[in-house]
Amino acid sequence: MKKVVAILILASFTFVFLTKPAHAQGLPFGGLASFPIPCTCSFTMAVWFTPLYLGGPVAITGPLVYSPYSTVPYPYYMIGVPGVWHLGSYIPGVQACWMYVGVACVPFPTIGLMTKVGTSRLF
Amino acid sequence: MVFRATPFEVKPGDYITIDGSGFSKTLNKVYFDGGSVLNASSANGTSLIVPVPALTEGQYKVSVSNVLGSSENPDISVFIKVTSTPESGPTISSASISGETVLLAGTGFTTSNTVATTLGNSTPISASGNTLTFRLNELSQYEQVKKSMLGRPYKLVLWIFVQNEHGINKDPYKLDIII
């Protein structure tokens, strides 16, 4: 009986973790917000993180985009506030930030688009 | 929504590409300063290609409307410049960094350029035809980013645009740096 239960549990884990691609909901990220950058043409917001962890041991610095149309926010909803830690998932390489420069908008390349994000409190 | 029209400098009869979103696959109306209406279709919903009508020399605001609405936005105006002698906007073919100074090689740099990057904007320290130099520490957000690093070095991707009276490079140039 124990063997059957063990096999069932193992099969469930296999089903959940192997049949669902990790990138379907994005890759994980975590970082400390330095400052927000308004994307003036696309009505989204790039958030500059230092440090920014993208699932490996190496910390980098750079921006990820928060979109009110496609990013799911979680408590404490302090997205882009300097000094607040952020944790969530993102899709790399999505062009979701356009900025106005002189006579037109230009694509502002970022590391990716957040799919969901939660934050710490301010202090 | 209209993001840009390229190239910036054109003459009547030239074709421009309008990048944006919400374009109809069947019928869009393209306006130049609210007039000179052209009909256009969009295969992908994000770009339109139209000829420049017979307009007199000058700068014209480009807007698009369709059944979904209008791109008119008082805060964001996208322009083209009609001239009998259009010149190409700047292009960047390579970039190198030495200390805090970035050297760009390309074409179309003039005496009135603005550098726009992921670390903010600045005015170049020098530019002549095929080369342009600017300082990282003069970029508007450099100090803010540097301060947040607490003295540690970090890898950073710097995307670079150059804008002047003839337009702006269409695709940003990518430069990997450590600051």
PDB file of all heavy atoms in Angstrom, chain A residues 47-69:
ATOM      1  N   VAL A  47      11.320  49.475 -14.277  1.00  0.00           N
ATOM      2  CA  VAL A  47      11.852  49.606 -12.913  1.00  0.00           C
ATOM      3  C   VAL A  47      13.303  49.169 -12.943  1.00  0.00           C
ATOM      4  O   VAL A  47      13.613  48.054 -13.385  1.00  0.00           O
ATOM      5  CB  VAL A  47      11.068  48.732 -11.909  1.00  0.00           C
ATOM      6  CG1 VAL A  47      11.638  48.903 -10.497  1.00  0.00           C
ATOM      7  CG2 VAL A  47       9.592  49.088 -11.931  1.00  0.00           C
ATOM      8  N   TRP A  48      14.197  50.077 -12.518  1.00  0.00           N
ATOM      9  CA  TRP A  48      15.623  49.744 -12.500  1.00  0.00           C
ATOM     10  C   TRP A  48      15.947  49.030 -11.184  1.00  0.00           C
ATOM     11  O   TRP A  48      15.595  49.535 -10.118  1.00  0.00           O
ATOM     12  CB  TRP A  48      16.479  51.010 -12.633  1.00  0.00           C
ATOM     13  CG  TRP A  48      17.879  50.660 -12.988  1.00  0.00           C
ATOM     14  CD1 TRP A  48      18.806  50.094 -12.167  1.00  0.00           C
ATOM     15  CD2 TRP A  48      18.502  50.780 -14.263  1.00  0.00           C
ATOM     16  NE1 TRP A  48      19.973  49.861 -12.859  1.00  0.00           N
ATOM     17  CE2 TRP A  48      19.816  50.282 -14.135  1.00  0.00           C
ATOM     18  CE3 TRP A  48      18.077  51.276 -15.497  1.00  0.00           C
ATOM     19  CZ2 TRP A  48      20.706  50.256 -15.198  1.00  0.00           C
ATOM     20  CZ3 TRP A  48      18.962  51.250 -16.555  1.00  0.00           C
ATOM     21  CH2 TRP A  48      20.268  50.744 -16.397  1.00  0.00           C
ATOM     22  N   PHE A  49      16.598  47.853 -11.309  1.00  0.00           N
ATOM     23  CA  PHE A  49      16.945  47.070 -10.119  1.00  0.00           C
ATOM     24  C   PHE A  49      18.453  46.989  -9.921  1.00  0.00           C
ATOM     25  O   PHE A  49      19.198  46.762 -10.881  1.00  0.00           O
ATOM     26  CB  PHE A  49      16.419  45.637 -10.255  1.00  0.00           C
ATOM     27  CG  PHE A  49      14.922  45.528 -10.202  1.00  0.00           C
ATOM     28  CD1 PHE A  49      14.185  45.382 -11.367  1.00  0.00           C
ATOM     29  CD2 PHE A  49      14.248  45.559  -8.991  1.00  0.00           C
ATOM     30  CE1 PHE A  49      12.807  45.277 -11.331  1.00  0.00           C
ATOM     31  CE2 PHE A  49      12.863  45.451  -8.947  1.00  0.00           C
ATOM     32  CZ  PHE A  49      12.143  45.306 -10.121  1.00  0.00           C
ATOM     33  N   THR A  50      18.895  47.166  -8.686  1.00  0.00           N
ATOM     34  CA  THR A  50      20.277  46.913  -8.295  1.00  0.00           C
ATOM     35  C   THR A  50      20.289  46.406  -6.858  1.00  0.00           C
ATOM     36  O   THR A  50      19.887  47.151  -5.966  1.00  0.00           O
ATOM     37  CB  THR A  50      21.140  48.196  -8.327  1.00  0.00           C
ATOM     38  OG1 THR A  50      20.911  48.895  -9.524  1.00  0.00           O
ATOM     39  CG2 THR A  50      22.607  47.867  -8.179  1.00  0.00           C
ATOM     40  N   PRO A  51      20.683  45.202  -6.586  1.00  0.00           N
ATOM     41  CA  PRO A  51      21.042  44.163  -7.539  1.00  0.00           C
ATOM     42  C   PRO A  51      19.782  43.511  -8.120  1.00  0.00           C
ATOM     43  O   PRO A  51      18.692  43.640  -7.563  1.00  0.00           O
ATOM     44  CB  PRO A  51      21.811  43.163  -6.664  1.00  0.00           C
ATOM     45  CG  PRO A  51      21.178  43.313  -5.310  1.00  0.00           C
ATOM     46  CD  PRO A  51      20.784  44.752  -5.193  1.00  0.00           C
ATOM     47  N   LEU A  52      19.983  42.799  -9.229  1.00  0.00           N
ATOM     48  CA  LEU A  52      18.888  42.048  -9.851  1.00  0.00           C
ATOM     49  C   LEU A  52      19.347  40.607 -10.014  1.00  0.00           C
ATOM     50  O   LEU A  52      20.389  40.359 -10.620  1.00  0.00           O
ATOM     51  CB  LEU A  52      18.537  42.657 -11.211  1.00  0.00           C
ATOM     52  CG  LEU A  52      17.490  41.919 -12.047  1.00  0.00           C
ATOM     53  CD1 LEU A  52      16.142  41.879 -11.334  1.00  0.00           C
ATOM     54  CD2 LEU A  52      17.312  42.595 -13.406  1.00  0.00           C
ATOM     55  N   TYR A  53      18.588  39.668  -9.449  1.00  0.00           N
ATOM     56  CA  TYR A  53      18.913  38.239  -9.538  1.00  0.00           C
ATOM     57  C   TYR A  53      17.937  37.579 -10.513  1.00  0.00           C
ATOM     58  O   TYR A  53      16.730  37.723 -10.383  1.00  0.00           O
ATOM     59  CB  TYR A  53      18.795  37.582  -8.162  1.00  0.00           C
ATOM     60  CG  TYR A  53      19.794  38.126  -7.159  1.00  0.00           C
ATOM     61  CD1 TYR A  53      19.442  39.201  -6.328  1.00  0.00           C
ATOM     62  CD2 TYR A  53      21.070  37.594  -7.049  1.00  0.00           C
ATOM     63  CE1 TYR A  53      20.356  39.722  -5.419  1.00  0.00           C
ATOM     64  CE2 TYR A  53      21.982  38.107  -6.134  1.00  0.00           C
ATOM     65  CZ  TYR A  53      21.620  39.162  -5.323  1.00  0.00           C
ATOM     66  OH  TYR A  53      22.518  39.671  -4.432  1.00  0.00           O
ATOM     67  N   LEU A  54      18.497  36.853 -11.493  1.00  0.00           N
ATOM     68  CA  LEU A  54      17.654  36.225 -12.519  1.00  0.00           C
ATOM     69  C   LEU A  54      17.745  34.704 -12.450  1.00  0.00           C
ATOM     70  O   LEU A  54      17.733  34.021 -13.460  1.00  0.00           O
ATOM     71  CB  LEU A  54      18.056  36.719 -13.915  1.00  0.00           C
ATOM     72  CG  LEU A  54      17.941  38.229 -14.143  1.00  0.00           C
ATOM     73  CD1 LEU A  54      18.443  38.603 -15.532  1.00  0.00           C
ATOM     74  CD2 LEU A  54      16.505  38.706 -13.969  1.00  0.00           C
ATOM     75  N   GLY A  55      17.862  34.185 -11.266  1.00  0.00           N
ATOM     76  CA  GLY A  55      17.840  32.741 -11.097  1.00  0.00           C
ATOM     77  C   GLY A  55      19.216  32.112 -10.973  1.00  0.00           C
ATOM     78  O   GLY A  55      19.332  30.927 -10.703  1.00  0.00           O
ATOM     79  N   GLY A  56      20.267  32.870 -11.175  1.00  0.00           N
ATOM     80  CA  GLY A  56      21.621  32.353 -11.025  1.00  0.00           C
ATOM     81  C   GLY A  56      22.327  33.052  -9.879  1.00  0.00           C
ATOM     82  O   GLY A  56      21.753  33.921  -9.226  1.00  0.00           O
ATOM     83  N   PRO A  57      23.589  32.697  -9.644  1.00  0.00           N
ATOM     84  CA  PRO A  57      24.314  33.303  -8.528  1.00  0.00           C
ATOM     85  C   PRO A  57      24.825  34.719  -8.805  1.00  0.00           C
ATOM     86  O   PRO A  57      25.182  35.434  -7.888  1.00  0.00           O
ATOM     87  CB  PRO A  57      25.489  32.349  -8.331  1.00  0.00           C
ATOM     88  CG  PRO A  57      25.694  31.724  -9.665  1.00  0.00           C
ATOM     89  CD  PRO A  57      24.376  31.675 -10.340  1.00  0.00           C
ATOM     90  N   VAL A  58      24.835  35.107 -10.089  1.00  0.00           N
ATOM     91  CA  VAL A  58      25.410  36.408 -10.440  1.00  0.00           C
ATOM     92  C   VAL A  58      24.342  37.497 -10.406  1.00  0.00           C
ATOM     93  O   VAL A  58      23.287  37.360 -11.027  1.00  0.00           O
ATOM     94  CB  VAL A  58      26.057  36.352 -11.840  1.00  0.00           C
ATOM     95  CG1 VAL A  58      26.651  37.709 -12.210  1.00  0.00           C
ATOM     96  CG2 VAL A  58      27.122  35.277 -11.889  1.00  0.00           C
ATOM     97  N   ALA A  59      24.642  38.569  -9.693  1.00  0.00           N
ATOM     98  CA  ALA A  59      23.720  39.701  -9.642  1.00  0.00           C
ATOM     99  C   ALA A  59      24.100  40.695 -10.726  1.00  0.00           C
ATOM    100  O   ALA A  59      25.277  40.927 -10.976  1.00  0.00           O
ATOM    101  CB  ALA A  59      23.796  40.369  -8.284  1.00  0.00           C
ATOM    102  N   ILE A  60      23.098  41.250 -11.381  1.00  0.00           N
ATOM    103  CA  ILE A  60      23.348  42.272 -12.398  1.00  0.00           C
ATOM    104  C   ILE A  60      22.562  43.527 -12.027  1.00  0.00           C
ATOM    105  O   ILE A  60      21.920  43.585 -10.976  1.00  0.00           O
ATOM    106  CB  ILE A  60      22.963  41.788 -13.818  1.00  0.00           C
ATOM    107  CG1 ILE A  60      21.466  41.483 -13.900  1.00  0.00           C
ATOM    108  CG2 ILE A  60      23.782  40.572 -14.224  1.00  0.00           C
ATOM    109  CD1 ILE A  60      20.958  41.323 -15.309  1.00  0.00           C
ATOM    110  N   THR A  61      22.610  44.523 -12.892  1.00  0.00           N
ATOM    111  CA  THR A  61      21.771  45.706 -12.698  1.00  0.00           C
ATOM    112  C   THR A  61      21.071  46.002 -14.016  1.00  0.00           C
ATOM    113  O   THR A  61      21.660  45.789 -15.090  1.00  0.00           O
ATOM    114  CB  THR A  61      22.607  46.913 -12.229  1.00  0.00           C
ATOM    115  OG1 THR A  61      21.753  48.027 -12.013  1.00  0.00           O
ATOM    116  CG2 THR A  61      23.686  47.304 -13.220  1.00  0.00           C
ATOM    117  N   GLY A  62      19.821  46.447 -13.966  1.00  0.00           N
ATOM    118  CA  GLY A  62      19.106  46.742 -15.206  1.00  0.00           C
ATOM    119  C   GLY A  62      17.613  46.856 -14.978  1.00  0.00           C
ATOM    120  O   GLY A  62      17.117  46.661 -13.868  1.00  0.00           O
ATOM    121  N   PRO A  63      16.873  47.203 -16.051  1.00  0.00           N
ATOM    122  CA  PRO A  63      15.433  47.438 -15.914  1.00  0.00           C
ATOM    123  C   PRO A  63      14.543  46.279 -16.368  1.00  0.00           C
ATOM    124  O   PRO A  63      14.853  45.578 -17.321  1.00  0.00           O
ATOM    125  CB  PRO A  63      15.216  48.646 -16.832  1.00  0.00           C
ATOM    126  CG  PRO A  63      16.269  48.507 -17.891  1.00  0.00           C
ATOM    127  CD  PRO A  63      17.401  47.701 -17.340  1.00  0.00           C
ATOM    128  N   LEU A  64      13.428  46.110 -15.675  1.00  0.00           N
ATOM    129  CA  LEU A  64      12.340  45.212 -16.081  1.00  0.00           C
ATOM    130  C   LEU A  64      11.084  46.068 -16.186  1.00  0.00           C
ATOM    131  O   LEU A  64      10.955  47.070 -15.477  1.00  0.00           O
ATOM    132  CB  LEU A  64      12.119  44.125 -15.031  1.00  0.00           C
ATOM    133  CG  LEU A  64      13.096  42.946 -15.003  1.00  0.00           C
ATOM    134  CD1 LEU A  64      12.874  42.152 -13.714  1.00  0.00           C
ATOM    135  CD2 LEU A  64      12.894  42.039 -16.203  1.00  0.00           C
ATOM    136  N   VAL A  65      10.167  45.657 -17.056  1.00  0.00           N
ATOM    137  CA  VAL A  65       8.970  46.482 -17.280  1.00  0.00           C
ATOM    138  C   VAL A  65       7.768  45.945 -16.501  1.00  0.00           C
ATOM    139  O   VAL A  65       7.483  44.750 -16.534  1.00  0.00           O
ATOM    140  CB  VAL A  65       8.619  46.548 -18.785  1.00  0.00           C
ATOM    141  CG1 VAL A  65       7.318  47.317 -18.999  1.00  0.00           C
ATOM    142  CG2 VAL A  65       9.745  47.210 -19.553  1.00  0.00           C
ATOM    143  N   TYR A  66       7.089  46.872 -15.828  1.00  0.00           N
ATOM    144  CA  TYR A  66       5.796  46.581 -15.211  1.00  0.00           C
ATOM    145  C   TYR A  66       4.716  47.161 -16.126  1.00  0.00           C
ATOM    146  O   TYR A  66       4.793  48.332 -16.509  1.00  0.00           O
ATOM    147  CB  TYR A  66       5.694  47.223 -13.816  1.00  0.00           C
ATOM    148  CG  TYR A  66       4.298  47.193 -13.268  1.00  0.00           C
ATOM    149  CD1 TYR A  66       3.774  46.035 -12.707  1.00  0.00           C
ATOM    150  CD2 TYR A  66       3.465  48.311 -13.349  1.00  0.00           C
ATOM    151  CE1 TYR A  66       2.479  45.987 -12.227  1.00  0.00           C
ATOM    152  CE2 TYR A  66       2.165  48.272 -12.877  1.00  0.00           C
ATOM    153  CZ  TYR A  66       1.681  47.108 -12.318  1.00  0.00           C
ATOM    154  OH  TYR A  66       0.384  47.051 -11.862  1.00  0.00           O
ATOM    155  N   SER A  67       3.760  46.328 -16.511  1.00  0.00           N
ATOM    156  CA  SER A  67       2.668  46.796 -17.367  1.00  0.00           C
ATOM    157  C   SER A  67       1.345  46.670 -16.624  1.00  0.00           C
ATOM    158  O   SER A  67       0.975  45.574 -16.199  1.00  0.00           O
ATOM    159  CB  SER A  67       2.611  45.966 -18.653  1.00  0.00           C
ATOM    160  OG  SER A  67       1.386  46.219 -19.312  1.00  0.00           O
ATOM    161  N   PRO A  68       0.613  47.768 -16.469  1.00  0.00           N
ATOM    162  CA  PRO A  68      -0.682  47.666 -15.793  1.00  0.00           C
ATOM    163  C   PRO A  68      -1.672  46.797 -16.563  1.00  0.00           C
ATOM    164  O   PRO A  68      -2.684  46.376 -16.015  1.00  0.00           O
ATOM    165  CB  PRO A  68      -1.163  49.116 -15.711  1.00  0.00           C
ATOM    166  CG  PRO A  68      -0.343  49.875 -16.689  1.00  0.00           C
ATOM    167  CD  PRO A  68       0.939  49.134 -16.868  1.00  0.00           C
ATOM    168  N   TYR A  69      -1.364  46.530 -17.857  1.00  0.00           N
ATOM    169  CA  TYR A  69      -2.269  45.732 -18.691  1.00  0.00           C
ATOM    170  C   TYR A  69      -1.983  44.233 -18.590  1.00  0.00           C
ATOM    171  O   TYR A  69      -2.843  43.422 -18.862  1.00  0.00           O
ATOM    172  CB  TYR A  69      -2.157  46.151 -20.164  1.00  0.00           C
ATOM    173  CG  TYR A  69      -2.085  47.632 -20.351  1.00  0.00           C
ATOM    174  CD1 TYR A  69      -0.892  48.251 -20.699  1.00  0.00           C
ATOM    175  CD2 TYR A  69      -3.212  48.426 -20.149  1.00  0.00           C
ATOM    176  CE1 TYR A  69      -0.815  49.629 -20.846  1.00  0.00           C
ATOM    177  CE2 TYR A  69      -3.148  49.799 -20.293  1.00  0.00           C
ATOM    178  CZ  TYR A  69      -1.949  50.400 -20.644  1.00  0.00           C
ATOM    179  OH  TYR A  69      -1.874  51.752 -20.776  1.00  0.00           O
TER     180      TYR A  69
END
